[in-house]
Amino acid sequence: MPRSRSDAPCSRPDARRSLRRDLYAAGAAALLVTVAVLVGRHLQDTYRILFVHWPPVLAEWDPHVGPGTPAAVLLAAAGVAYGPTLAARLPWRALLVTAWGSALAWILSLALVDGWHQGIAVRLTTREEYLRVIGRFHDIPAALRDFTHHIVSDTPAPWPAHVAGHPPGATLTFVLLDRIGLRGGGWAGMWCVTLGSTACVAVLVAIRALADETLARRAAPFLVLTPAAVWLGTSADAYFAATAAWSVALLALAVTRRSLSWAAASGLLLGLTCYLSYGLTLFALVAAAVLLLGRDGVRERPALLLALLAGLAVVPLAFTLAGFNWWTAYHLLVTRYYQGVGGKRPYGYWVWANLACTALITGLATAAGLRRTATTLTHRTDPAAVRLALLVSTAFLALLVADLSGMSKAETERIWLPFALWLLPACAYLPHPRAWLTAQTVLALLLNHLLLTGW
């Protein structure tokens, strides 16, 4: 297998120094989480202003095992033992299929630690979730025209929090699933898990197209065995993450293969992404990074931009013609957000505790990988590694913008899944992948067995 220059041998003292700095970065991430837990515990116990029971994540302390425990432990052990070798040796298409199947199994096994009912079937049926309003969409055009009239809390029959907090594309997805006979929380949960597990494939496709195959192969085990899998099963944000990831992957294919059809398909998914979650409009930054990395293809075939914009216009145009105004709804959402606990949660805590949530869902290996990402951008020794570093850094920038906006205070372990998946490829820079994979899987198992997550 070809080796990128970032993997070139270095002197033993340099290697030890780099490893020591990796451990410092991982330690800093662990310290951030520890401080967030301790400060959050004090604030919540003393003032009751965080509105989470196990800060910084929305969870309950509940050590437990369940039906998924044996499978999760076996998958973790097998992934650590064989993952890096398989990622290096499998044919590319076989690797993508294997990654998807393994990610699906990992997410499901972790979800089933809580059992089928608690872990999957009822997650999207609780009071604030999408399935609670299926009956109000018997006339879809009328419901879309009337959608903005029920966002603010003091309006007649206000939407549940998750419905009000997203454009109607999210709710409409579950309405359409219900219409075709896939009714109830079990089908909705499996929709999110199945699509969410494909996100790792989309990221691999993008890395191979924009950087190189070697880096994609090195990143694959980390994308599969991510601690984020705890929240990918089961939340609608897993579905959002996959949609956003495939929009980026298709754009990467479009600019590297000069394909108008891929560009149009990417635009279509980017448009859909913006109508699934307001905050995911920040994926415009990631798309811009892809266009920058693929600028040679865009110069050779400028029509790619026209195809991208044409695809991008489809979903917004359809919803606008149906009577839904995105901008009006967003401004009403801001009002709703500050009417609820979002207006009471202290910005001064969550602006950094949100990053502790990110450290939990991406793991200590990603913290070390981000350190190497910064080093790669500074030294610029390997073009492929630099291209990957730019992509990862742009995703991190988008996450920081979301953080500073103040519209993401708490629950970011779920809300930021679409951004977090693009930080995981930073692990491709790390030596000793099995050691880091062990840390990732142990963290995921501990989170899922010590906490009962919810939203």
Side-chain angles (χ1 to χ4, degrees):
M1 183 180 67
R3 183 171 62 185
S4 68
R5 284 192 291 274
S6 62
D7 299 319
C10 58
S11 68
R12 194 177 298 272
D14 285 345
R16 285 200 298 266
R17 190 179 303 113
S18 291
L19 178 58
R20 188 163 57 247
R21 289 172 179 170
D22 291 341
L23 295 175
Y24 289 157
L31 180 61
L32 176 64
V33 172
T34 302
V35 173
V37 170
L38 295 176
V39 173
R41 185 75 274 156
H42 171 73
L43 291 174
Q44 181 62 15
D45 290 345
T46 306
Y47 304 106
R48 305 288 178 184
I49 55 175
L50 299 186
F51 300 95
V52 294
H53 293 155
W54 203 86
V57 299
L58 182 64
E60 304 277 353
W61 179 259
D62 182 24
H64 63 289
V65 295
T69 298
V73 173
L74 287 174
L75 284 168
V80 170
Y82 302 109
T85 301
L86 288 174
R89 295 180 179 176
L90 283 174
W92 177 249
R93 291 185 180 180
L95 171 60
L96 295 182
V97 173
T98 303
W100 173 61
S102 301
L104 178 60
W106 177 236
I107 295 168
L108 276 177
S109 66
L110 290 173
L112 291 174
V113 169
D114 299 329
W116 168 261
H117 180 75
Q118 182 66 35
I120 295 176
V122 301
R123 287 294 179 107
L124 296 171
T125 65
T126 56
R127 185 181 64 179
E128 303 297 346
E129 282 286 0
Y130 304 95
L131 269 62
R132 300 292 290 225
V133 301
I134 296 294
R136 294 172 62 177
F137 277 76
H138 60 275
D139 184 341
I140 292 176
L144 292 178
R145 289 193 300 270
D146 198 41
F147 192 87
T148 56
H149 297 150
H150 303 284
I151 294 177
V152 179
S153 290
D154 53 9
T155 55
W159 298 119
H162 285 193
V163 178
H166 296 82
T171 306
L172 189 57
T173 298
F174 299 107
V175 171
L176 294 176
L177 285 176
D178 183 84
R179 291 286 178 89
I180 64 173
L182 304 181
R183 299 184 177 90
W187 283 111
M190 286 306 300
W191 167 268
C192 294
V193 168
T194 304
L195 286 186
S197 63
T198 71
C200 69
V201 178
V203 178
L204 290 176
V205 168
I207 297 171
R208 183 177 186 248
L210 297 170
D212 70 11
E213 186 173 317
T214 300
L215 289 168
R217 289 177 178 275
R218 290 175 63 87
F222 294 95
L223 283 159
V224 170
L225 296 175
T226 171
V230 174
W231 287 272
L232 287 168
T234 307
S235 78
D237 295 86
Y239 160 43
F240 306 162
T243 306
W246 280 108
S247 72
V248 174
L250 294 183
L251 184 58
L253 291 176
V255 297
T256 53
R257 298 184 181 181
R258 282 67 162 169
S259 170
L260 296 178
S261 58
W262 286 132
S266 171
L268 184 65
L269 289 182
L270 278 171
L272 176 59
T273 297
C274 295
Y275 278 74
L276 294 174
S277 174
Y278 296 104
L280 295 187
T281 54
L282 289 171
F283 259 81
L285 293 174
V286 184
V290 174
L291 291 174
L292 176 64
L293 292 170
R295 58 189 178 277
D296 290 342
V298 177
R299 285 197 199 102
E300 290 183 19
R301 199 170 190 187
L304 289 170
L305 290 178
L306 294 177
L308 175 67
L309 293 174
L312 183 60
V314 172
V315 173
L317 183 61
F319 275 96
T320 301
L321 291 176
F324 172 74
N325 188 304
W326 193 98
W327 284 105
T328 298
Y330 176 73
H331 289 299
L332 291 170
L333 166 63
V334 174
T335 300
R336 170 72 177 263
Y337 183 78
Y338 285 99
Q339 285 177 327
V341 295
K344 300 174 185 177
R345 286 170 169 159
Y347 181 85
Y349 172 77
W350 288 110
V351 73
W352 59 271
N354 284 337
L355 301 179
C357 292
T358 304
L360 280 173
I361 64 176
T362 58
L364 300 182
T366 303
L370 289 175
R371 184 203 73 79
R372 291 194 176 236
T373 298
T375 301
T376 300
L377 286 174
T378 301
H379 293 103
R380 298 176 177 270
T381 55
D382 175 22
V386 170
R387 289 194 293 271
L388 176 59
L390 179 60
L391 189 64
V392 170
S393 299
T394 304
F396 189 61
L397 173 62
L399 185 148
L400 290 178
V401 172
D403 188 32
L404 295 173
S405 74
M407 288 295 290
S408 295
K409 296 198 288 286
E411 303 179 53
T412 52
E413 67 273 11
R414 167 184 61 81
I415 298 169
W416 286 355
L417 285 172
F419 303 111
L421 293 178
W422 291 93
L423 304 184
L424 296 169
C427 299
Y429 300 122
L430 297 173
H432 315 297
R434 286 185 176 85
W436 289 110
L437 277 172
T438 300
Q440 297 290 87
T441 55
V442 168
L443 174 60
L445 291 170
L446 287 174
L447 286 169
N448 214 96
H449 286 84
L450 294 178
L451 300 177
L452 182 62
T453 58
W455 38 84

